[in-house]
Amino acid sequence: MTGSEQPVRSGLSHALSLHSVTKLYGSLAAVDDVSLSIPRGSFLTLLGPSGSGKTTILMAIAGFVQPTRGEIRLDDRVITNVPPDKRNFGMVFQGYALFPHMTVEDNIWFPLKVRGISKARASTAIGEALELVQMGALARRLPSQLSGGQQQRVALARALVFEPDLMLLDEPLSALDKKLRADLQWELKALHRKLGTTFIYVTHDQEEALSMSDEIVILRDGRIEQQGEPGALYEKPATRFVADFLGKSNFLAGKVAGRDAETFTYSVEGTELRQCSTAPVALGENVLVALRPEKIVVARSRPDLPNATVGRIAEFNYYGANYHFKVATPHLGDLIATTPAWNCDVEPALDSEVWLGWSPEAAVVVEDR
Ligand code: ADP
Ligand code: MG
């Protein structure tokens, strides 16, 4: 929880945990020994490439997929074998999946209707759910009369109307265009803060994960590769995979040539570079260093930094706010560097000579996997 706003339903917030959950399909482990603990009221994101097991985990939490092994608990209660309709979880998926023949309000009423609540009795709850997603004015419309973003808001209201113990969202924004997606990211976050309900969110979009989550779990081939707060994951990726999947990275592979208390030097194709490291490295050891493009200084002349190389712009892209340069260097291969366009020190032109530099703290040592 951040900000001063108090959640309106904090009493309904629950913790969820997975204990060595595995799901086999034949010999394929769609989910492979996943253990996770999601604190009450937090916003946790499962992030990973297509096929990494995100949906299977969410479906196991929802009760639509039976784990081959392992246990799922809501607070202290084991729910592994509780049927989906007895779990009281709200779900939103990528397709809006509204009932096309029902108005917005009837769509939202539906989960209450199946719980035996008349429309008259449900009207306050429906009204509140509509207001939560700012759809009050469009209650009588049919889904076909709504934009994609509005339909997804209705799907959210329908998942929230029965005050679920947990919200499960599987790529709910991925069918929307970029601008609308960004707007709804703000709204979803505000909604989460307001409700205080535990959210479990699935996406393959790294920016979405970084901007929305309290905690991110990175999945790879059904296993947890790394987890942590967005900033910690971005700044300290443990592996090549994470450094590459969460944001962009340049990779420098070299051999340790010397070391002192806080830094070591390593040599890449005869170029000596200096790197901070808290982990012990041995002389002669192979190391892989990940370097974020935005942490490279792009300059006309040699920057006053321990790591520097000259190069030529092999490609560049202009993004309004930033330039992205691909710089061909004599010994370190092609390096991607980004720089604010308003403060660009070099001539953004093909074959233009530029200097790149970075400090020993700018990069991180990662495992090569
Ligand atoms: P994600 O949501 O991360 O894209 P999924 O959880 O949908 O990944 O799938 C993980 C893996 O499990 C994939 O290799 C997928 O093909 C496989 N898989 C998912 N559901 C089934 C199923 N019902 N039968 C067989 N294989 C499945
Ligand atoms: Mg999926």
Side-chain angles (χ1 to χ4, degrees):
M1 288 297 304
T2 52
S4 57
E5 211 175 350
Q6 285 299 307
V8 293
R9 295 181 187 164
S10 54
L12 297 175
S13 197
H14 296 274
L16 186 97
S17 56
L18 273 60
H19 304 263
S20 302
V21 169
T22 293
K23 179 64 187 177
L24 301 176
Y25 289 112
S27 60
L28 173 88
V31 179
D32 191 0
D33 196 23
V34 165
S35 295
L36 255 186
S37 172
I38 304 154
R40 62 176 59 212
S42 72
F43 192 123
L44 179 125
T45 296
L46 303 173
L47 174 69
S50 177
S52 58
K54 305 180 297 292
T55 295
T56 307
I57 292 176
L58 210 69
M59 286 298 165
I61 295 170
F64 294 109
V65 160
Q66 187 64 33
T68 311
R69 284 191 291 277
E71 204 169 79
I72 301 171
R73 292 185 208 148
L74 186 68
D75 301 324
D76 294 329
R77 190 163 67 97
V78 176
I79 59 161
T80 321
N81 297 310
V82 174
D85 57 316
K86 297 281 186 295
R87 292 190 187 197
N88 203 44
F89 295 167
M91 307 195 62
V92 182
F93 298 105
Q94 178 175 349
Y96 320 117
L98 299 177
F99 302 112
H101 58 288
M102 290 183 197
T103 61
V104 164
E105 62 183 4
D106 284 353
N107 263 283
I108 297 175
W109 172 37
F110 187 79
L112 297 174
K113 188 178 168 187
V114 300
R115 287 167 169 79
I117 299 172
S118 71
K119 195 165 172 186
R121 259 185 66 210
S123 71
T124 307
I126 296 170
E128 282 173 4
L130 279 167
E131 286 313 311
L132 266 181
V133 298
Q134 302 160 43
M135 287 290 292
L138 305 178
R140 300 284 156 81
R141 290 219 186 154
L142 289 169
S144 60
Q145 298 167 314
L146 301 175
S147 71
Q150 290 167 337
Q151 290 184 47
Q152 201 55 303
R153 283 198 185 89
V154 176
L156 257 173
R158 192 177 58 181
L160 290 165
V161 73
F162 58 93
E163 305 200 341
D165 290 341
L166 210 66
M167 275 290 277
L168 306 175
L169 304 107
D170 193 350
E171 314 224 8
L173 308 182
S174 61
L176 306 175
D177 65 53
K178 196 178 163 98
K179 173 88 172 65
L180 192 56
R181 207 159 68 214
D183 290 348
L184 279 172
Q185 284 168 12
W186 288 99
E187 288 180 28
L188 259 177
K189 255 188 97 162
L191 201 61
H192 170 254
R193 198 159 52 228
K194 192 165 178 182
L195 294 174
T197 309
T198 309
F199 274 43
I200 305 177
Y201 194 91
V202 161
T203 184
H204 66 270
D205 181 333
Q206 42 134 336
E207 282 183 1
E208 197 162 287
L210 284 170
S211 65
M212 297 182 76
S213 322
D214 295 321
E215 175 102 357
I216 300 174
V217 174
I218 297 192
L219 291 164
R220 178 184 188 181
D221 300 330
R223 303 185 72 99
I224 295 178
E225 177 84 356
Q226 194 178 351
Q227 75 182 89
E229 289 173 18
L233 272 187
Y234 187 83
E235 295 299 330
K236 295 267 178 283
T239 62
R240 178 196 278 269
F241 179 86
V242 174
D244 209 27
F245 192 73
L246 195 69
K248 292 186 175 66
S249 291
N250 296 291
F251 292 100
L252 299 161
K255 238 182 212 338
V256 175
R259 72 159 303 151
D260 59 31
E262 272 133 32
T263 66
F264 65 86
T265 57
Y266 62 110
S267 146
V268 183
E269 303 278 331
T271 300
E272 285 254 316
L273 300 169
R274 184 166 285 280
Q275 175 61 34
C276 269
S277 175
T278 46
V281 290
L283 288 181
E285 188 183 327
N286 290 321
V287 285
L288 185 68
V289 170
L291 174 62
R292 298 289 189 194
E294 73 275 15
K295 296 196 176 175
I296 299 179
V297 174
V298 183
R300 244 174 308 182
S301 53
R302 188 184 173 102
D304 184 19
L305 288 163
N307 300 303
T309 178
V310 72
R312 288 190 180 277
I313 296 178
E315 276 177 49
F316 70 94
N317 279 325
Y318 173 65
Y319 290 91
N322 301 297
Y323 280 108
H324 293 198
F325 296 114
K326 183 195 270 188
V327 178
T329 71
H331 304 294
L332 305 178
D334 289 348
L335 294 176
I336 306 290
T338 61
T339 194
W342 67 272
N343 193 22
C344 182
D345 185 46
V346 302
E347 193 200 344
L350 288 181
D351 217 34
S352 165
E353 187 182 278
V354 295
W355 278 89
L356 304 178
W358 63 97
S359 72
E361 305 87 60
V364 287
V365 180
V366 296
E367 273 178 65
D368 193 2
R369 64 182 183 88

